[in-house]
Amino acid sequence: MNFRKLTVAALALAMLAGCGSSSAPAAPAESGGADATADTSAETTGGKTLTVAITADLNTMDYHVATDGTSFIMHSMCIGGLTQLDENAQPAPDLAESWDVSEDGTVYTFHLRDGLTWSNGTPLTANDFVYGWQRLVDPELQSEYAFIETAVGVHNASAVFNGELPAEELGVKALDDKTFEVTLDQPCGFMLGLTAFPSFFPLNKEFFEAEGDNFALSINDMIFCGPYVMSGWEAGTEYTFTKNPNYWNAANCGDYADEVVFRFAPDTQSAALAYLQDHTLDVVTLSGELVDQYADTEGYTNRLTGYAWRLEINLNNEALANKNLRKALSLSINRDSIAKDVLKDGSVAAEGFIPKDFAFGPDGKDYRETAGNMVDFDVEAAQKFYADAVAELGGDPTITLLFEDSEASKAVAENIQYMWQSNLPGITINLDSKTKKERLNLMNELNYDIGLTRWGPDYADPQTYMDLYKSDTDGYNKSYFSADYDAILNKAETGEDAADANARWNDMIEAEKIVLEDVALIPVYQNGGAILINPAVSGIQFHNAGVDSYRFVTIAD
Amino acid sequence: MAKYITKRVLVSILTLLAILFVLFLMLSLMPGSPFNDEKLNATQKALLYAKYGLDQPFFIRFAKYVAAMVKGDLGFSYVINKNKAVSEMVAGPLMVSIKVGAMGMALGSVLGLLLGIAAALNHNTWVDTLCSIVSIMGVSVPSYVFALLLVYFVGFKMGLIPILYTSKNVAASYIGPMIALAMSPMANVSRFTRSEMIDVLGSDYILLVEAKGVRQNNLIMKHALRNTLIPIITIMGPILVNLLTGSMVVEKVFGVPGIGTLMVTAIQSNDYNVVIACAFIYSALYIVMMLFIDIAYGIIDPRIRVAKEK
């Protein structure tokens, strides 16, 4: 049967051809892909490119409405602030070359550098900062990050945001083109760190108004003033940044990467393989099981993040209203084991509500170092408290532990359940897994018993955490109310200690003691991160409070 | 024929409307909102809801959405690509997905046909067994497993295809996803082709054709294959669904900026308008394909057209 042999041969051929020629029909796609790239100059000049994998896509380049880390990182590539963070997370001059602070600490006068310009040639003046700061609290805009200007205590920020006062009444003004003055309601120790944050970046009024609704929706609808300009925006794929020749310090940026590409790689496994394959990706953040799998890979690095995970307790729950029970729960968690045996990604056991390595006191020491360890693992003590609790409650309690359905949260919750049930015989712990959004919703409605949750710092000060449990903190729905806690924080933030950095710092420590003594929450761990970084790359700055910086990256040959 | 097509088109439009309604309803019932970030307070949330019209009753929102949609306005994104028109956001990814999907479908169908014919002609021989093994694997192994295998072996170990989609070499970037997506259509088509072909080859009219002395090539191509194709077209619909759902994961593995990746991101961030647009596009693609298949039937087999017209 000739035909049979023929078909088999044809089939074999077709299969080969099918694979080999498959690129042919795709060819025309090259021109019709996603959004066009404006410039790939680094390729033509043979410059050095840093490629960073991002697991969350860019949300917006409009730095006054952004809320996510990925977006903030890209903003600080191409826009400059009054200050920028250095490798020690300390504020250093950027667009402002110097500043004066009034004696009472409430008036900051920033002196901008000579000859600052936007990438379109427009001069950059103090008015651009005034306009940017006003826009952040514009009630029309409803920026989710407007609160940060209120937290700093910029004069009238809340009133403007609530629509009670016009934008002109905000405590910012341009004394002249090169002098920008900010008036605060009370001194703010973390002010200069925050001026490096994208929410406080300048905005040119004329350009913005000409753009209207299109502002920051594509690279042609933006102007830049940072060390890089955004030169490619391919939605869902790549975001390219190339050197900005108009940056004030361009002359000294020659050694840094010519091009920085942020590559959206939703699948970490593929991204890690691309890292291994000649460093197609230079920086890949690992998660889940991959952390273990790649721990021996060259370039594996651990970092600590500012995210502090804790168990939030609903004090409206009858059993959990019992302080002895809460103490027993806190004392029976082996935090070290959770960080080192369960997570294994560089996470560390929590020593209190406030994480370490993100806020530094007036003496330059880490907050945690000064405050010391405030949580213990002591099964014997826990069992004593538990016995008291059972007597007071008239029986063993049943509690549901709510957590989100991420790999890490699930592992941590299961281990806590095990620790509680084995260390406190008699207690019943149920697990409840929900999506993150739903978990937040349930917790906000106080429709839970105990929830595993986290908080990341918005600025380098314990206040960013402390305010969560203040009675008058709007919106954050909680079941804990303490007059002592409120009083001491009010004294520190706006009262008699506000101007005294040392007294304020001690107040913060006292406040933390109160909230932990009351066991309004149970600290668990501070999140670590596992990252693969091409060994040839150096100069990436990871900031626990504030935005990671890829501005000063050098790549060895 | 015209009457038949008009009726089918009208039914399709109604189906799409119903799908839109269900999508809307499901998203309203879904827990959470685009704005339940930990850092937002209640007042801000209320203001954001008002700003985007999410505070209005369900039916009003639905009516407004449909009215705007008719004009091509799919609303704005709340989270991903904040404030960008959704219609602009989905256009690029949609084209990418259609390209990859169509290539996968085409490659899979052609290979499937060849495999099926080969198996049928070599019924009960090793060729048949081999083809069966291939198609069983194709049916039972999900496309993302193939995607992972391709990434690891062909991409990473052999370095033949890019591991991650790159705009610098789009053509090469499509190869991996295309092959991964082709597996399931290939397997399904080959199984059906094989059994249909065996049936057809055993039928009386083929015996007649053979008796008339028609050459074998002609017999296969002109007489047997044409009758085999009709039932195969029926399974194209379900195959397409498989392909669409598979594309979400395959796109993620290769980092292809397609509509599947966009939809997954949108669902995770409760970006209502984007989720609705993507899901709607998926449904529309499916319904339009079914419509084409129905019409193609009529063309391939005049009996169906005539019967339906009566």
Side-chain angles (χ1 to χ4, degrees), chain A residues 444-517:
Chain A
N444 200 41
E445 288 165 0
L446 293 179
N447 191 7
Y448 73 107
D449 298 346
I450 294 183
L452 181 62
T453 188
R454 71 167 195 184
W455 190 258
D458 293 309
Y459 43 86
D461 190 274
Q463 192 184 330
T464 185
Y465 287 90
M466 296 292 192
D467 279 354
L468 287 179
Y469 290 94
K470 253 172 84 175
S471 304
D472 61 355
T473 300
D474 183 23
Y476 187 79
N477 218 351
K478 56 203 162 292
S479 52
Y480 174 73
F481 299 96
S482 159
D484 293 346
Y485 186 76
D486 292 349
I488 201 156
L489 280 180
N490 285 333
K491 191 166 81 167
E493 291 171 8
T494 52
E496 61 201 72
D497 288 350
D500 180 346
N502 287 312
R504 181 178 177 282
W505 208 244
N506 288 331
D507 290 341
M508 289 288 165
I509 296 173
E510 286 311 308
E512 189 185 17
K513 277 185 192 154
I514 293 174
V515 77
L516 289 177
E517 175 56 32

Side-chain angles (χ1 to χ4, degrees), chain A residues 50 65 260 321-322 480 542:
Chain A
L50 173 81
V65 302
V260 177
N322 184 300
Y480 174 73
F542 296 114

Side-chain angles (χ1 to χ4, degrees), chain B residues 194-210:
Chain B
R194 178 184 170 277
S195 60
E196 282 303 320
M197 198 76 169
I198 290 172
D199 269 3
V200 170
L201 286 177
S203 66
D204 293 345
Y205 70 87
I206 290 292
L207 196 68
L208 177 72
V209 175
E210 260 182 338

Side-chain angles (χ1 to χ4, degrees), chain B residues 130-195:
Chain B
L130 184 73
C131 292
S132 298
I133 292 174
V134 171
S135 53
I136 287 170
M137 264 173 54
V139 172
S140 45
V141 181
S143 49
Y144 71 86
V145 176
F146 284 116
L148 289 173
L149 291 174
L150 282 167
V151 161
Y152 188 74
F153 289 105
V154 187
F156 178 61
K157 288 279 181 193
M158 299 183 222
L160 293 178
I161 54 167
I163 294 173
L164 289 171
Y165 176 94
T166 161
S167 52
K168 300 198 173 72
N169 192 354
V170 177
S173 305
Y174 279 161
I175 298 175
M178 178 184 71
I179 297 176
L181 286 176
M183 288 302 165
S184 152
M186 182 192 77
N188 281 304
V189 170
S190 92
R191 276 182 348 160
F192 268 76
T193 310
R194 178 184 170 277
S195 60

